């Protein structure tokens, strides 16, 4: 085990054994290289600017002013990127049996599963006229106290999102099913769920949320679900798409799908 992993393990004994490490991604070193490169460009432009005549033809004066503007832009961008690199240096998200340990910008968070309220994950493949852009994955974890942490530049980000979603769903599932049986209505972001069915919690114009017909769907009318480029599609018994929402508008999407499957299995007549 590396020195960093050993320190993390000893610092988070209450969370149990270390399951997976997700250090800062490749964009971290890239910020250092690009930021330093911009500052080098600024220095080269400053060297050229010193040799320019301060007074003379209008074109020379204009060129001098443009150099000053360019130096201001490159130096500002370079310093900004170096600051971002410094804040993210050594950052990581570690998954333990009992929760998450996160370090960023000199701060550390120890988050047991029981302290987490929900997780949202965005996975989308952006398409342009010339083809497809790299897939984007963003993860946001919100605690019961309201603290929100975002993870968007760590190694094996897809695996990180799956691990958090699955383990949090395992932790929340027993209590969530008990609350539904007790008649409570639960909030899953784009949906509210109770023992009778799914209620569309919000309706937006465009492709953000698209609900067909009424905003309520009884469990006995729910058919199946599928995924389409970062969207969750819920189909009714006739095969028609009742709801289409982006993943990141659904809190604890894995838990919601587990609940739907559990309720459907319970309501399905036995042969």
């Amino acid at each position: 085990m590396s020195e960093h992993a050993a320190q993390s393990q000893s610092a988070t004994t209450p969370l149990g054994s270390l399951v997976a490490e997700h250090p800062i991604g490749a964009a971290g070193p890239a910020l250092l290289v690009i930021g330093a490169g911009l500052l080098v460009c600024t220095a080269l432009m400053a060297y050229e600017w010193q040799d320019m005549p301060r007074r003379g033809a209008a074109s020379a004066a204009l060129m001098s002013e443009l150099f000053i503007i360019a130096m201001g832009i490159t130096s500002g961008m370079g310093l900004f990127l170096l600051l971002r690199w410094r804040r993210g240096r050594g950052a990581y998200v570690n998954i333990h049996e009992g929760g998450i340990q996160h370090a960023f910008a000199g701060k550390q968070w120890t988050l047991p599963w029981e302290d987490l309220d929900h997780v949202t994950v965005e996975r989308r493949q952006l398409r342009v006229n010339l083809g497809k852009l790299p897939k984007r994955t963003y993860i946001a974890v919100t605690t019961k106290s309201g603290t929100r942490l975002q993870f968007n530049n760590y190694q094996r980000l897809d695996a990180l999102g799956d691990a958090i979603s699955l383990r949090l769903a395992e932790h929340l599932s027993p209590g969530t099913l008990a609350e539904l049986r007790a008649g409570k209505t639960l909030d899953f972001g784009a949906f509210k769920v109770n023992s009778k069915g799914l209620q569309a919690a919000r309706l937006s114009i465009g492709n953000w949320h698209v609900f067909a017909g009424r905003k309520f769907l009884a469990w006995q009318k729910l058919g199946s679900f599928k995924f389409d480029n970062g969207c969750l599609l819920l189909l009714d018994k006739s095969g028609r798409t009742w709801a289409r929402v982006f993943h990141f508008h659904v809190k604890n999407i894995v838990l919601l799908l587990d609940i739907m499957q559990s309720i459907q299995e319970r309501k399905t007549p036995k042969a």
Side-chain angles (χ1 to χ4, degrees):
M1 183 180 294
S2 65
E3 180 181 354
H4 162 68
Q7 291 175 349
S8 300
Q9 181 68 26
S10 63
T12 57
T13 303
L15 293 182
S17 61
L18 181 66
V19 176
E21 290 183 284
H22 298 269
I24 195 73
L31 293 177
L32 173 62
V33 173
I34 298 173
L38 288 172
L39 292 182
V40 170
C41 289
T42 302
L44 292 175
M45 284 191 291
Y47 178 79
E48 291 293 332
W49 176 75
Q50 289 179 349
D51 292 337
M52 288 184 177
R54 298 295 179 268
R55 297 180 179 84
S59 59
L62 176 61
M63 185 63 68
S64 178
E65 292 177 0
L66 291 176
F67 260 67
I68 293 174
I69 294 172
M71 285 188 291
I73 293 174
T74 55
S75 61
M77 291 180 61
L79 291 173
F80 172 76
L81 293 177
L82 289 178
L83 179 60
R84 289 289 302 271
W85 166 78
R86 187 174 182 275
R87 293 184 68 224
R89 183 176 54 178
Y92 61 87
V93 182
N94 287 347
I95 303 297
H96 293 254
E97 289 183 344
I100 303 170
Q101 185 190 21
H102 175 48
F104 182 78
K107 297 180 181 179
Q108 284 193 343
W109 293 265
T110 299
L111 306 170
W113 298 121
E114 55 267 23
D115 289 352
L116 300 184
D117 180 74
H118 65 269
V119 58
T120 56
V121 180
E122 175 186 4
R123 290 189 178 100
R124 273 197 291 166
Q125 180 79 59
L126 298 182
R127 297 184 176 92
V128 296
N129 292 334
L130 298 179
K132 296 180 179 180
L133 296 176
K135 183 173 67 175
R136 302 190 309 174
T137 300
Y138 299 109
I139 305 166
V141 173
T142 303
T143 68
K144 293 179 179 178
S145 64
T147 300
R148 189 172 187 268
L149 301 174
Q150 291 182 288
F151 312 137
N152 56 16
N153 181 30
Y154 293 87
Q155 295 180 19
R156 305 183 305 280
L157 204 55
D158 281 346
L160 176 61
D162 290 341
I164 295 176
S165 299
L166 289 169
R167 289 178 178 271
L168 185 56
E170 290 175 357
H171 177 78
L172 295 175
S173 184
T176 300
L177 290 172
E179 289 179 329
L180 282 176
R181 287 192 290 267
K184 292 186 177 181
T185 298
L186 305 179
D187 181 15
F188 283 87
F191 306 102
K192 291 186 183 297
V193 175
N194 56 35
S195 59
K196 296 181 180 180
L198 294 130
Q199 177 76 31
R202 51 188 175 179
L203 180 62
S204 301
I205 299 175
N207 199 33
W208 295 95
H209 296 80
V210 179
F211 297 93
R214 293 186 302 174
K215 293 171 63 179
F216 177 80
L217 184 68
W219 290 119
Q220 58 266 29
K221 294 184 178 180
L222 176 63
S224 59
F225 66 88
K226 61 182 179 179
F227 300 104
D228 177 33
N229 190 28
C231 289
L232 169 65
L233 280 67
L234 298 182
L235 284 66
D236 59 22
K237 287 289 187 180
S238 66
R240 185 181 64 170
T241 299
W242 173 74
R244 176 189 175 94
V245 296
F246 284 125
H247 291 176
F248 57 88
H249 285 146
V250 183
K251 300 177 181 178
N252 297 329
I253 189 170
V254 172
L255 177 61
L256 175 62
L257 298 180
D258 286 347
I259 289 174
M260 291 194 303
Q261 183 176 359
S262 176
I263 291 177
Q264 282 186 316
E265 290 175 353
R266 191 170 69 244
K267 292 183 176 294
T268 301
K270 297 183 179 179

